[in-house]
Amino acid sequence: MNLIETEDRDGAIWLYLNKPARHNALVQPLLDEMLTAIERAKAHKPTALVVSARGRSFSTGGDVGSFLENATSEDQLLSYADKLVGSLHDVIMALLAFPAPVLAAINGPVTGGSTGLLLAADMVAMADHAFVQPYYSEVGFGPDGGWTALLPEKVGTSKALEIQYLNTRIKAADARDLGLVTELCPASELDKIIESWVSEFSKRFSQTHSATRQNIWDAARCKLVQQRLDHEKSKFLELIVRPETFAGMTTFAKRSA
């Protein structure tokens, strides 16, 4: 089974996270497949790239169980976390560098580092029952996936800090009010919303869309985001080997079982 499913639909390429039994938790094979899928999509010069997911959740972020499985030694845990978080950040940067509009169809909850896939999108349609939540302070992890590298620019510094300090659950309507989401709808209408955007894009010059995106995500801005993501990873690695983080992961895994 492919962990990323790809569809070419009316000029847009859709990428689906496809690990629904585990709520599309981010594991290394899934991120590897996603990075490859993004590169392949680029070669097709689509009208837009759409990121969505199969099942009830968009993604619950990094799989805490997998972190625990790799915690048999400090070196093994660091190696696992370094590669996983680094790959997530590579995916985010690949989305920011994509030459066509990037859209997200958020079909369910988005937590942890998977929020970076939402933050890297230009326009977001979200199911009205979905939500976004960090959970880092519940486990002891350092935030990754753009929670400190991208979120403050979207919602403001104070609000970004508040959300993460309090582990705030951002409901769909609040996500729209904060500017994280473009449009809300029932889950059954997500595809229709995205397809309407793609249809509108197709009536206009794709070269202008590409130039607009490249002007906004220019080399200087992308370099700054990369530096901030690198800092996120550094802090993540610093915290994940602490005994209290191991205890936090264990407690969280038991509670989520």
Side-chain angles (χ1 to χ4, degrees), residues 9-22:
R9 192 190 307 173
D10 297 325
I13 292 183
W14 292 61
L15 305 182
Y16 291 92
L17 309 185
N18 187 37
K19 200 181 181 189
R22 294 289 296 169

Side-chain angles (χ1 to χ4, degrees), residues 202-246:
S202 67
K203 299 173 185 176
R204 298 168 174 83
F205 282 103
S206 61
Q207 64 188 26
T208 304
H209 296 155
S210 181
T212 303
R213 199 161 203 275
Q214 289 171 7
N215 285 349
I216 288 178
W217 293 112
D218 63 1
R221 197 175 185 195
C222 286
K223 182 179 179 180
L224 181 58
V225 173
Q226 182 68 70
Q227 289 173 342
R228 289 173 172 170
L229 290 174
D230 289 346
H231 192 60
E232 285 188 351
K233 187 176 77 166
S234 177
K235 286 294 182 183
F236 192 99
L237 297 178
E238 178 185 322
L239 296 186
I240 199 168
V241 293
R242 293 185 178 181
E244 56 267 39
T245 308
F246 181 82

Side-chain angles (χ1 to χ4, degrees), residues 67-85:
F67 281 109
L68 286 169
E69 289 170 5
N70 284 275
T72 55
S73 72
E74 182 174 307
D75 286 347
Q76 182 179 353
L77 182 57
L78 281 172
S79 176
Y80 177 80
D82 184 36
K83 188 174 182 182
L84 187 77
V85 176

Side-chain angles (χ1 to χ4, degrees), residues 20 43 48 78 106 135 139 188 197 206 212 248:
L78 281 172
I106 306 298
Y135 279 108
V139 183
S188 59
W197 293 344
S206 61
T212 303

Side-chain angles (χ1 to χ4, degrees), residues 2 17 20 41 51 53 63 76 111 117 154 168 175 180 182 196-197 211 222 224 230 233 239:
N2 293 329
L17 309 185
V51 180
D63 190 329
Q76 182 179 353
T111 63
L117 306 180
K154 293 267 190 178
T168 303
L180 294 173
T182 311
S196 71
W197 293 344
C222 286
L224 181 58
D230 289 346
K233 187 176 77 166
L239 296 186

Side-chain angles (χ1 to χ4, degrees), residues 54-232:
R54 303 295 191 193
R56 295 183 293 112
S57 301
F58 180 79
S59 175
T60 51
D63 190 329
V64 174
S66 293
F67 281 109
L68 286 169
E69 289 170 5
N70 284 275
T72 55
S73 72
E74 182 174 307
D75 286 347
Q76 182 179 353
L77 182 57
L78 281 172
S79 176
Y80 177 80
D82 184 36
K83 188 174 182 182
L84 187 77
V85 176
S87 295
L88 170 60
H89 291 174
D90 288 345
V91 166
I92 291 169
M93 293 306 300
L95 291 174
L96 295 181
F98 200 79
V102 175
L103 311 176
I106 306 298
N107 58 306
V110 188
T111 63
S114 60
T115 304
L117 306 180
L118 181 157
L119 295 173
D122 305 328
M123 297 172 66
V124 178
M126 178 180 273
D128 49 20
H129 72 277
F131 63 85
V132 181
Q133 194 164 0
Y135 279 108
Y136 296 102
S137 61
E138 303 296 299
V139 183
F141 288 163
D144 65 342
W147 277 93
T148 58
L150 290 168
L151 185 67
E153 190 175 64
K154 293 267 190 178
V155 304
T157 301
S158 295
K159 179 57 70 173
L161 289 167
E162 174 196 324
I163 290 166
Q164 294 178 76
Y165 288 159
L166 300 178
N167 190 36
T168 303
R169 175 167 293 191
I170 309 169
K171 296 179 181 179
D174 295 326
R176 179 188 56 196
D177 292 344
L178 287 169
L180 294 173
V181 169
T182 311
E183 192 163 342
L184 304 181
C185 61
S188 59
E189 295 182 16
L190 275 175
D191 285 14
K192 187 186 300 182
I193 296 294
I194 297 290
E195 287 165 359
S196 71
W197 293 344
V198 173
S199 177
E200 286 299 313
F201 295 167
S202 67
K203 299 173 185 176
R204 298 168 174 83
F205 282 103
S206 61
Q207 64 188 26
T208 304
H209 296 155
S210 181
T212 303
R213 199 161 203 275
Q214 289 171 7
N215 285 349
I216 288 178
W217 293 112
D218 63 1
R221 197 175 185 195
C222 286
K223 182 179 179 180
L224 181 58
V225 173
Q226 182 68 70
Q227 289 173 342
R228 289 173 172 170
L229 290 174
D230 289 346
H231 192 60
E232 285 188 351

